[in-house]
Amino acid sequence: MSVAAAPQVSLRETLLTPWRRIRSGDIGSLPVLAGLVLIWAVFDILNPNFLTPLNLTNLTVQITDIGLVSTGIVLVLLLGEIDLSVGSVYGLGSAVMAVLNVKMGISAVPAVIGGILTGTLIGLLHGFWFTRFRIPSFVVTLAGLLAWFGLQLRVLGETGTINIYDPNIDALAGKFFSPAFGWALAAVVVAILTVELFVRRRRRATAGLVQNVLVLELGGLVAVAAAIFVATGVLASDRGVPLALLILLGFIVTFDLITKRTRFGRHIYAVGGNAEAARRAGISVNGIRIAVFAIAGTMAAIGGILGASRLLAVNYSSGTGDILLDAIAAAVIGGTSLFGGRGTVWSALTGSLVIGSIGNGLALLSVSADIKYMITGAVLLAAVTIDGVARQGRQRAGL
Amino acid sequence: MSETGGWPAGHPPSVPAPVPTERQPILELRSISKHFGAVQALSSVDFEVYPAEVVALVGDNGAGKSTLVKTMAGINIPDSGEIWFEGKHVAIHGPREPAALGISTVYQDLALCDNLDVVANLYLGREEIQPPVPLLSEERMEHRAREVLTSLDVKIPSVRNPVAALSGGQRQSVAVARSVMWKAKVVMLDEPTAALGVQQTKQVLELVLRLRNQGLGVILISHNLANVFEVADRIVVLRLGRRVGTFDRSKMSEEAVVAAITGAEFGKFQPQA
Ligand SMILES: Nc1ncnc2c1ncn2[C@@H]1O[C@H](COP(=O)(O)OP(=O)(O)OP(=O)(O)O)[C@@H](O)[C@H]1O
Ligand SMILES: [Mg+2]
């Protein structure tokens, strides 16, 4: 059977596709990017120090721990589940790392690995409990929130605060790469994206598939490349490219690849979209769930270790406070649906940028915490409202 | 096992039926029972489908049709009974085993993931990767998906749209297409035409006949007896979880089938031969 291959998608189709996605309940990243531009514009008007290389570099380092935790949260939300324990796992992971390194004198790498594996094991346990006993995930992880915080207090012991002196752990949030390295990296990334675009178009042509409009694809590429180079330029004119930012971006790119381009990732979306359909298609639904909770625990512990590296200390309050809610809010603000199956890992970055910008900008204006909480709450409410309205629209359309 | 459950024994096997009894069923259920709590959904049901035949499974709401299909699909594990495939007793513990045998299903609720696009739904659970790297082979899958949809004459604006953006009929077509994507030997369709317009219904029925002519065993569930009479070689009637009637093409009459379905007055309409 030969397929009459239209060489190119019509312009009309191209313009309709994002609209269809939104109508199907996938709001994408356009609202959050627009919101980010608005927030930056407002803060820049209110305080000219906001959009300076110094402050923007600080911002990128400030959001890495939330961004890492949020990356795991996005995957859990894609399943249609929730993990309320990530704050406590953040605290416990960093506490284990600090105790291993400072109190037991174990060197940085094994200590960090120990902290990370603590998070992995906890996530596995949550996933197992949730699937084995069919308890709603928010209850299992709520129990985890309490229990792991208790364990964190216990691990930290009587002193309560452990200061970190190890230069290698310090480097995680404290190291900056030279501008030259930054430019080289940016160039390599843009080159890879360009090659990828043309290889994909070639493959589609060989398979006789319709192509997207080339000009639009190139336009998208140019926009992304411009964003990368501008960001590099901003960072280069201050202290350089922070290692912490590269760690965050590395995880986001990796998980983006995993979710969009591997069977495992496809199955995450399938379980989140229709778990029964996934089961009938022979997908190991419980296996996927356990794996995703393990990833969420792992990412929470990694976030905790980055946070500890930034503050150079772990104490009773590590991981408490805003971490959990900020991480969930970031994922939702970034456009990942609370209802499962819709969203991308990039929402961890864009959402963290929104939340981090609000906190950072208000701090520059010396606005007190009360206002910050209220504004962050309002932004979260706006994001979930967009999500809910998109879902309602879908249901009204009988889909 | 009785070939003519609701038929008086000794009724002359008049015209050579399209299903000679000496042929071996490709898929056979023996004495399947299944209960959900207090509901006995299936009581000791025998069922068989032969290669190159369309067998219609009819019965009122709640008769147990979907439960029987889910048993053959490995979704429901029966309380008792045996499943035989190509003359061999097979153990079915989950949906992978029937899929590996070549039994595919279009479920009544379609079982599509609304958030995924058409290609992803067609390949759900069977995604192809590009061997050296474990990345999805999107181009190959999209190419094949378009081929299958074209061959079934299914018109869909773009195979890259999420299924949520399709009409009811288009969604049904995607579900049907998925069942014939793989080298199936038995295809089960649970009310495949329920949401379809006249034109689309005709296409699905044509597809059913095409599958039969390719030698597949097709199990069709439908409440629309006109459709059933159009394509079925045999009709099996379930009532309250029991098999209460079997009609060969030559002996089917609408009255007899309806009588068997409702249970009322059964016997009054027996062979008018
Ligand atoms: N998962 C389940 N849990 C509890 N009861 C069930 C379940 N599945 C089916 N049943 C019950 O088993 C009986 C048979 O249901 P089934 O869905 O097989 O009927 P059906 O013949 O397909 O009906 P319909 O024509 O309405 O689709 C019904 O009484 C139904 O309520
Ligand atoms: Mg049914």
Side-chain angles (χ1 to χ4, degrees), chain B residues 60-67 70 108 190-191 221 223:
Chain B
D60 245 332
N61 294 125
K65 306 178 299 291
S66 295
T67 306
K70 286 181 186 163
Q108 192 165 5
D190 195 350
E191 311 221 12
I221 296 183
H223 286 290

Side-chain angles (χ1 to χ4, degrees), chain A residues 3 207 261 266 282 341 399, chain B residues 96 115 136 138 142-143 146 164:
Chain A
V3 179
R261 306 278 304 274
R266 182 61 52 82
L399 303 170
Chain B
R96 279 177 187 279
N115 56 329
L136 294 173
E138 293 289 359
E142 185 171 336
H143 180 78
R146 278 171 46 101

